[in-house]
Protein backbone atom coordinates (compact mmCIF):
# COMPACT_ATOMS: atom_id res chain seq x y z
CA UNK A 1 0.00 0.00 0.00
CA UNK A 2 1.32 3.40 -0.98
CA UNK A 3 -0.81 6.28 0.28
CA UNK A 4 -1.08 9.70 -1.40
CA UNK A 5 -1.83 13.05 0.19
CA UNK A 6 -2.33 16.52 -1.26
CA UNK A 7 -2.06 19.49 1.09
CA UNK A 8 -1.01 23.12 1.40
CA UNK A 9 0.45 22.66 4.89
CA UNK A 10 4.09 21.71 5.53
CA UNK A 11 4.94 18.11 6.44
CA UNK A 12 7.45 16.54 8.80
CA UNK A 13 9.35 13.83 6.98
CA UNK A 14 10.38 12.06 10.20
CA UNK A 15 6.81 11.88 11.49
CA UNK A 16 5.50 10.58 8.16
CA UNK A 17 8.21 7.91 8.05
CA UNK A 18 7.59 6.87 11.67
CA UNK A 19 3.86 6.51 10.96
CA UNK A 20 4.60 4.42 7.86
CA UNK A 21 6.89 2.05 9.77
CA UNK A 22 4.80 1.80 12.94
CA UNK A 23 4.19 -1.81 13.99
CA UNK A 24 6.35 -3.28 11.20
CA UNK A 25 9.47 -5.30 11.99
CA UNK A 26 9.83 -7.03 8.62
CA UNK A 27 11.23 -4.00 6.80
CA UNK A 28 14.98 -3.61 6.32
CA UNK A 29 15.11 -0.35 4.37
CA UNK A 30 13.38 3.02 4.36
CA UNK A 31 14.02 5.79 1.82
CA UNK A 32 12.80 9.37 2.33
CA UNK A 33 13.12 11.97 -0.45
CA UNK A 34 12.08 15.60 -0.02
CA UNK A 35 11.88 18.07 -2.92
CA UNK A 36 12.57 21.69 -1.88
CA UNK A 37 12.13 25.19 -3.28
CA UNK A 38 15.70 26.04 -4.37
CA UNK A 39 16.65 29.68 -3.80
CA UNK A 40 17.87 30.50 -7.30
CA UNK A 41 19.28 34.05 -7.43
CA UNK A 42 16.36 36.50 -7.21
CA UNK A 43 13.65 33.90 -6.62
CA UNK A 44 11.06 35.19 -4.13
CA UNK A 45 8.44 32.45 -4.17
CA UNK A 46 7.11 29.47 -6.06
CA UNK A 47 3.35 28.91 -6.43
CA UNK A 48 2.08 25.44 -7.27
CA UNK A 49 -1.19 25.46 -9.18
CA UNK A 50 -2.98 22.15 -9.70
CA UNK A 51 -6.14 20.55 -11.11
CA UNK A 52 -8.20 19.96 -7.97
CA UNK A 53 -10.62 17.40 -9.41
CA UNK A 54 -7.82 15.29 -10.89
CA UNK A 55 -4.67 15.75 -8.83
CA UNK A 56 -5.23 13.39 -5.91
CA UNK A 57 -6.74 10.68 -8.11
CA UNK A 58 -3.70 10.90 -10.39
CA UNK A 59 -1.33 10.71 -7.41
CA UNK A 60 -3.21 7.63 -6.18
CA UNK A 61 -2.95 6.03 -9.62
CA UNK A 62 0.82 6.63 -9.63
CA UNK A 63 1.03 5.14 -6.11
CA UNK A 64 -0.98 2.09 -7.15
CA UNK A 65 1.27 1.60 -10.18
CA UNK A 66 4.36 1.63 -7.94
CA UNK A 67 2.74 -0.74 -5.44
CA UNK A 68 2.01 -3.14 -8.29
CA UNK A 69 5.62 -3.06 -9.48
CA UNK A 70 7.10 -3.52 -6.00
CA UNK A 71 4.49 -5.46 -4.00
CA UNK A 72 6.74 -5.80 -0.92
CA UNK A 73 7.14 -2.01 -0.70
CA UNK A 74 4.97 0.37 1.31
CA UNK A 75 5.05 4.13 1.14
CA UNK A 76 3.55 7.57 1.51
CA UNK A 77 3.68 10.40 -1.02
CA UNK A 78 2.73 13.98 -0.15
CA UNK A 79 2.58 16.89 -2.62
CA UNK A 80 1.97 20.45 -1.53
CA UNK A 81 0.18 23.20 -3.44
CA UNK A 82 -0.09 26.95 -3.00
CA UNK A 83 2.59 29.62 -2.50
CA UNK A 84 5.91 28.34 -1.14
CA UNK A 85 9.11 30.14 -0.19
CA UNK A 86 12.77 29.25 -0.81
CA UNK A 87 13.72 26.39 1.50
CA UNK A 88 10.14 25.15 1.84
CA UNK A 89 9.39 21.53 1.12
CA UNK A 90 7.29 20.75 -1.97
CA UNK A 91 7.05 16.99 -2.20
CA UNK A 92 7.78 13.97 -0.01
CA UNK A 93 8.24 10.36 -1.05
CA UNK A 94 8.82 7.78 1.69
CA UNK A 95 9.16 4.10 0.82
CA UNK A 96 10.09 1.03 2.85
CA UNK A 97 10.71 -2.58 1.91
CA UNK A 98 12.47 -5.70 3.24
CA UNK A 99 15.59 -4.85 1.18
CA UNK A 100 16.95 -1.52 -0.02
CA UNK A 101 16.81 -2.10 -3.79
CA UNK A 102 13.03 -1.99 -3.93
CA UNK A 103 12.76 0.99 -1.56
CA UNK A 104 15.24 3.00 -3.68
CA UNK A 105 13.66 1.99 -6.98
CA UNK A 106 10.09 2.70 -5.87
CA UNK A 107 11.08 6.12 -4.49
CA UNK A 108 12.80 7.09 -7.74
CA UNK A 109 9.89 5.80 -9.83
CA UNK A 110 7.39 7.75 -7.73
CA UNK A 111 9.35 11.00 -8.11
CA UNK A 112 9.87 10.53 -11.85
CA UNK A 113 6.16 9.91 -12.33
CA UNK A 114 5.01 12.71 -10.03
CA UNK A 115 7.11 15.12 -12.09
CA UNK A 116 5.62 14.08 -15.41
CA UNK A 117 2.13 12.67 -14.73
CA UNK A 118 0.62 14.69 -11.87
CA UNK A 119 -1.21 17.89 -12.89
CA UNK A 120 0.84 20.55 -11.11
CA UNK A 121 2.34 23.74 -12.56
CA UNK A 122 5.00 25.92 -10.92
CA UNK A 123 4.98 29.70 -11.22
CA UNK A 124 8.08 31.58 -10.11
CA UNK A 125 7.99 35.07 -8.59
CA UNK A 126 11.19 37.07 -9.01
CA UNK A 127 12.61 39.99 -7.00
CA UNK A 128 12.13 42.39 -9.96
CA UNK A 129 8.36 41.78 -9.79
CA UNK A 130 8.14 39.48 -12.79
CA UNK A 131 6.60 36.03 -12.80
CA UNK A 132 7.41 33.07 -14.99
CA UNK A 133 5.84 29.63 -15.50
CA UNK A 134 8.43 26.88 -15.17
CA UNK A 135 8.94 25.00 -18.45
CA UNK A 136 8.75 21.22 -18.47
CA UNK A 137 12.17 19.57 -18.91
CA UNK A 138 12.91 17.01 -21.58
CA UNK A 139 15.17 15.29 -19.05
CA UNK A 140 12.11 14.60 -16.86
CA UNK A 141 10.38 12.91 -19.79
CA UNK A 142 13.54 10.91 -20.43
CA UNK A 143 13.67 9.91 -16.75
CA UNK A 144 10.19 8.45 -16.86
CA UNK A 145 10.82 6.58 -20.13
CA UNK A 146 13.28 4.18 -18.47
CA UNK A 147 10.52 2.61 -16.37
CA UNK B 1 -22.70 21.18 -22.60
CA UNK B 2 -19.08 20.71 -21.67
CA UNK B 3 -17.12 22.35 -18.90
CA UNK B 4 -13.75 23.62 -20.13
CA UNK B 5 -10.98 24.24 -17.62
CA UNK B 6 -7.73 26.13 -18.23
CA UNK B 7 -4.61 26.02 -16.08
CA UNK B 8 -1.32 27.91 -15.69
CA UNK B 9 -0.34 30.12 -18.67
CA UNK B 10 -3.15 28.69 -20.78
CA UNK B 11 -5.59 30.11 -18.20
CA UNK B 12 -3.79 33.47 -18.25
CA UNK B 13 -3.75 33.70 -22.05
CA UNK B 14 -7.37 32.61 -22.50
CA UNK B 15 -8.35 35.08 -19.78
CA UNK B 16 -10.57 32.79 -17.69
CA UNK B 17 -10.17 29.61 -15.65
CA UNK B 18 -13.31 27.93 -17.00
CA UNK B 19 -16.25 28.21 -19.35
CA UNK B 20 -19.29 26.08 -20.11
CA UNK B 21 -20.16 25.78 -23.78
CA UNK B 22 -22.07 23.65 -26.26
CA UNK B 23 -19.70 21.99 -28.70
CA UNK B 24 -20.66 21.69 -32.37
CA UNK B 25 -21.60 18.08 -33.09
CA UNK B 26 -18.94 17.77 -35.80
CA UNK B 27 -16.14 18.05 -33.23
CA UNK B 28 -15.30 14.40 -32.80
CA UNK B 29 -11.67 14.55 -31.67
CA UNK B 30 -9.49 16.59 -29.33
CA UNK B 31 -7.63 17.99 -32.34
CA UNK B 32 -10.86 19.28 -33.90
CA UNK B 33 -11.90 20.80 -30.58
CA UNK B 34 -8.61 22.71 -30.31
CA UNK B 35 -8.93 24.01 -33.88
CA UNK B 36 -12.45 25.23 -33.12
CA UNK B 37 -11.55 26.73 -29.73
CA UNK B 38 -8.73 28.72 -31.33
CA UNK B 39 -11.36 30.67 -33.29
CA UNK B 40 -13.27 31.80 -30.19
CA UNK B 41 -11.08 34.77 -29.21
CA UNK B 42 -7.59 36.18 -29.75
CA UNK B 43 -6.69 34.85 -26.28
CA UNK B 44 -7.78 31.32 -27.18
CA UNK B 45 -5.88 31.57 -30.45
CA UNK B 46 -2.70 32.76 -28.76
CA UNK B 47 -2.84 30.06 -26.08
CA UNK B 48 -3.38 27.30 -28.65
CA UNK B 49 -0.86 28.44 -31.29
CA UNK B 50 1.84 25.90 -30.45
CA UNK B 51 0.11 22.56 -29.95
CA UNK B 52 3.37 20.92 -28.86
CA UNK B 53 3.09 22.97 -25.66
CA UNK B 54 -0.52 21.97 -24.95
CA UNK B 55 -1.74 19.00 -22.94
CA UNK B 56 -5.34 17.84 -22.55
CA UNK B 57 -7.40 15.82 -20.09
CA UNK B 58 -10.86 14.59 -21.08
CA UNK B 59 -13.07 13.74 -18.11
CA UNK B 60 -9.97 13.85 -15.91
CA UNK B 61 -7.89 11.38 -17.93
CA UNK B 62 -4.91 12.48 -20.04
CA UNK B 63 -5.76 12.54 -23.73
CA UNK B 64 -4.01 13.07 -27.08
CA UNK B 65 -4.96 14.98 -30.22
CA UNK B 66 -6.49 11.79 -31.62
CA UNK B 67 -8.66 11.03 -28.57
CA UNK B 68 -12.32 10.83 -29.64
CA UNK B 69 -14.90 13.00 -27.91
CA UNK B 70 -17.91 11.01 -26.72
CA UNK B 71 -20.11 13.53 -24.94
CA UNK B 72 -17.40 14.61 -22.51
CA UNK B 73 -18.47 16.47 -19.36
CA UNK B 74 -15.14 18.14 -18.61
CA UNK B 75 -12.11 18.98 -20.76
CA UNK B 76 -9.01 20.56 -19.26
CA UNK B 77 -6.35 22.34 -21.33
CA UNK B 78 -2.96 23.12 -19.83
CA UNK B 79 0.83 23.23 -20.38
CA UNK B 80 3.09 20.20 -19.77
CA UNK B 81 3.09 19.54 -16.03
CA UNK B 82 5.93 20.78 -13.81
CA UNK B 83 5.24 19.38 -10.33
CA UNK B 84 7.51 17.34 -8.06
Amino acid sequence: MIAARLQSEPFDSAIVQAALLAGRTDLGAAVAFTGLVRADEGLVALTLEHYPAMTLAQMQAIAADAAGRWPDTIGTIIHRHGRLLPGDSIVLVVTASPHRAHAFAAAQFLMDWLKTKAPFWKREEWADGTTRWVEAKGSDDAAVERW
Amino acid sequence: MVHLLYFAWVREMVGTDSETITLPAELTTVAALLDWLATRSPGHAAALTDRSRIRIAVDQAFATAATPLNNPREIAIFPPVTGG
Side-chain angles (χ1 to χ4, degrees):
Chain A
M1 170 72 186
I2 299 176
R5 281 158 49 188
L6 173 68
Q7 63 187 49
S8 56
E9 302 79 23
F11 51 74
D12 184 321
S13 170
I15 290 173
V16 174
Q17 179 173 314
L20 179 69
L21 303 181
R24 297 285 298 257
T25 54
D26 56 322
L27 301 166
V31 170
F33 171 88
T34 303
L36 305 164
V37 180
R38 187 180 52 246
D40 291 342
E41 180 67 36
L43 184 80
V44 173
L46 196 63
T47 296
L48 278 121
E49 180 170 325
H50 72 109
Y51 182 176
M54 184 176 171
T55 312
L56 184 60
Q58 191 66 17
M59 290 174 66
Q60 288 167 336
I62 292 166
D65 193 331
R69 291 168 187 245
W70 297 281
D72 63 355
T73 300
I74 60 172
T76 302
I77 57 177
I78 301 175
H79 206 301
R80 295 179 68 191
H81 60 90
R83 188 171 183 269
L84 304 174
L85 303 177
D88 282 352
S89 56
I90 305 171
V91 61
L92 175 68
V93 169
V94 182
T95 57
S97 63
H99 303 282
R100 73 180 183 282
H102 288 187
F104 273 129
Q108 191 143 30
F109 171 91
L110 286 161
M111 272 311 302
D112 286 346
W113 280 51
L114 282 169
K115 276 199 162 286
T116 52
K117 298 183 188 299
F120 292 94
W121 301 274
K122 293 189 182 108
R123 191 187 64 167
E124 298 166 334
E125 290 173 44
W126 296 92
D128 63 5
T130 59
T131 64
R132 190 181 73 95
W133 290 98
V134 172
E135 292 282 336
K137 291 196 196 82
S139 58
D140 288 335
D141 288 331
V144 82
E145 291 299 326
R146 61 201 164 123
W147 303 103
Chain B
M1 300 286 272
V2 63
H3 196 215
L4 297 176
L5 299 174
Y6 306 110
F7 292 102
W9 56 256
V10 175
R11 168 176 55 74
E12 292 178 342
M13 293 178 78
V14 171
T16 183
D17 61 0
S18 67
E19 54 187 335
T20 301
I21 57 177
T22 301
L23 299 182
E26 65 268 25
L27 300 184
T28 57
T29 64
V30 165
L33 167 73
L34 295 178
D35 289 342
W36 180 79
L37 272 179
T39 66
R40 277 176 65 80
S41 79
H44 288 80
L48 299 173
T49 299
D50 183 355
R51 300 290 164 84
S52 72
R53 301 179 71 215
I54 294 293
R55 299 291 181 272
I56 307 287
V58 176
D59 289 330
Q60 299 167 13
F62 288 117
T64 67
T67 300
L69 299 180
N70 296 314
N71 286 319
R73 282 165 290 120
E74 182 173 289
I75 299 176
I77 304 175
F78 44 80
V81 301
T82 56

